Amino acid sequence: MQISSFKAYDVRGRIPDELNDEIAYRIGNAVVEYLGAKRVVVGRDIRESSVSISDAVIAGVTEAGADVLDIGLGGTEMVYFATGTLEADAGIMVTASHNPKDYNGLKIVREGARPVSGDSGLVDIRALAERDSRFTVTHAGRCDDCDVYDRYVQRLLSFTDRSALRPLKIVANPGNGGAGLVVDRLAPHLPFELDRLHFEPDGSFPNGVPNPMLESNRLATAERVQSIGADLGIAWDGDFDRCFFFDHNGRFIDGYYIVGLLAESMLVNESAARVVYDPRVIWNTEEVVARLGGTPVMSKSGHSFIKEVMRREDAIYGGEMSAHQYFRDFFYCDTGMVPWLLVAQIISTTGRSLANLVDARIAAFPTSGEINRQVADVAATIQRVRDHYEAEALSVVTVDGVSLSFADWRFNLRASNTEPVIRLNVETRGDAALLGARTSDLLELIGGTPG
């Protein structure tokens, strides 16, 4: 059998041709064999296919001789949390996050919630899953239900000073994904007035796929914030390992500026700490971290790379412009719950709105946002752009794609790890006109079609 649903960081594909119960069984089975796992955490998201896929994974794991701790319905970060706190040998989350409703997938971690990706075992697991024979033992493992919600919620609350929180009015929009399950458990511990929007978990996604990166999906949250006069709006993707912010005007705040805000909040208590960031847009993050006495550490984009660098550097926090936020005290993993709690605390303690907290940073370091283009030859396109600009550049960095910096502007151009597109990010030092001009020049040179 050939399995096409293995990607750079996880398994993801259309149901049932790219992922089905048989494939899920094989992958669960192969995870146990590859890792030598004895105890495996399994969780699932709210998608309609997730129950059967989860059951198949559990069968593959137990028939390979490992015990399963089934945490049931929840989010990806709950599998991270459970794998770390329960000292399991592996964790498998059944989710396709923000993909269309006819997709599903698997995210796999090993002990300590360390990621398993293309460069750290996923290729080997695929090879084992594709072979003809199954890995079975005489005495199968057992499957036990394991409710981790109470412990997980307490860990989330440990990131806040609840005595400092004010009764903010907050729009909470899970997009009918799973985030509402956690928000409801957090709510009794918090003074916030929560306005629940698209809140019920529903794998048919009646209000569209929960992907706030799509501009069309932001409108409902923005309008609700404006209509009720909320202090803040928050939206999550389907498995809620990312959250997205709207200020009191309903304006969507780019994840880049949230990275700087969270880095500042973490460094207040540990000023000499390291902060990891990705190379797509950097100047705001570097300036904030250096000003507060921290050490900025650049990493290649992608959760497996960020987590590896964070562990190596013992970084207190890591952030990507894509809204993945990582915390040392959450097993160096990404979470969509800790960031909104911290932002609400910052608003509470400073008495400043989110708009006021980020406006000066947006003006100081405006960006193009990530622009995707489909091109015939990604590598050749990157090289052509590099050749065009390199002679004038003050620095050339190849941590992820190519980043060229000049006195008052810079750009990063990289191949996507998950899609057949090229991704462009441009930023300047406070010059919106220059940003527009340089972005147009680059897109003309890149060519292709919108991705």
Side-chain angles (χ1 to χ4, degrees), residues 302-369:
H303 79 96
S304 62
F305 303 113
I306 297 280
K307 291 170 182 174
E308 179 184 355
V309 173
M310 284 190 68
R311 288 178 183 276
R312 187 183 71 223
E313 300 287 339
D314 193 30
I316 192 172
Y317 164 72
E320 293 186 89
M321 62 164 289
S322 56
H324 285 282
Q325 317 284 355
Y326 308 80
F327 298 86
R328 182 182 63 197
D329 294 338
F330 197 77
F331 303 98
Y332 302 95
C333 287
D334 39 339
T335 159
M337 287 293 156
V338 172
W340 79 264
L341 293 172
L342 289 177
V343 169
Q345 180 168 302
I346 294 167
I347 293 172
S348 295
T349 56
T350 63
R352 300 167 63 187
S353 67
L354 178 58
N356 184 261
L357 288 163
V358 300
D359 275 350
R361 311 309 302 177
I362 294 172
F365 301 104
T367 76
S368 63

Side-chain angles (χ1 to χ4, degrees), residues 1 3 19-33 52-65 92 94 106 125 128-137 140:
M1 172 184 285
I3 304 174
L19 181 63
N20 52 45
D21 292 354
E22 170 65 18
I23 293 172
Y25 174 98
R26 286 171 172 267
I27 295 172
N29 197 252
V31 167
V32 174
E33 182 176 8
S52 65
I53 294 294
S54 176
D55 288 345
V57 168
I58 290 170
V61 169
T62 54
E63 290 181 20
I92 303 173
V94 178
L106 306 174
I125 289 170
L128 291 172
E130 289 182 335
R131 68 185 181 182
D132 292 336
S133 60
R134 295 179 173 185
F135 180 68
T136 58
V137 296

Side-chain angles (χ1 to χ4, degrees), residues 57-222:
V57 168
I58 290 170
V61 169
T62 54
E63 290 181 20
D67 294 331
V68 167
L69 302 170
D70 183 6
I71 67 170
L73 189 62
T76 297
E77 66 191 66
M78 294 178 66
V79 167
Y80 298 156
F81 173 79
T83 304
T85 55
L86 301 177
E87 299 182 348
D89 304 303
I92 303 173
M93 176 66 185
V94 178
T95 181
S97 184
H98 58 278
N99 283 98
K101 63 182 180 181
D102 58 338
Y103 277 67
N104 216 321
L106 306 174
K107 294 182 179 179
I108 303 167
V109 294
R110 59 195 309 154
E111 77 286 346
R114 290 172 169 83
V116 176
S117 59
D119 61 346
S120 60
L122 207 55
V123 173
D124 301 290
I125 289 170
R126 175 179 181 170
L128 291 172
E130 289 182 335
R131 68 185 181 182
D132 292 336
S133 60
R134 295 179 173 185
F135 180 68
T136 58
V137 296
T138 303
H139 300 290
R142 58 183 289 174
C143 177
D144 293 315
D145 293 338
C146 184
D147 188 344
V148 298
Y149 268 103
D150 287 345
R151 282 171 286 182
Y152 163 64
V153 165
Q154 289 305 310
R155 175 63 67 91
L156 298 179
L157 292 171
S158 72
F159 283 86
T160 69
D161 176 4
R162 277 181 277 171
S163 66
L165 301 177
R166 294 193 294 110
L168 303 175
K169 183 184 290 189
I170 299 174
V171 173
N173 181 2
N176 300 115
L181 299 167
V182 179
V183 173
D184 274 344
R185 287 172 168 84
L186 285 167
H189 304 281
L190 303 169
F192 307 138
E193 178 186 339
L194 294 171
D195 181 79
R196 293 166 167 82
L197 175 66
H198 302 165
F199 208 77
E200 291 301 315
D202 186 341
S204 71
F205 300 140
N207 296 290
V209 176
N211 181 10
M213 291 293 283
L214 299 176
E215 290 191 19
S216 59
N217 286 3
R218 300 172 188 169
L219 185 60
T221 308

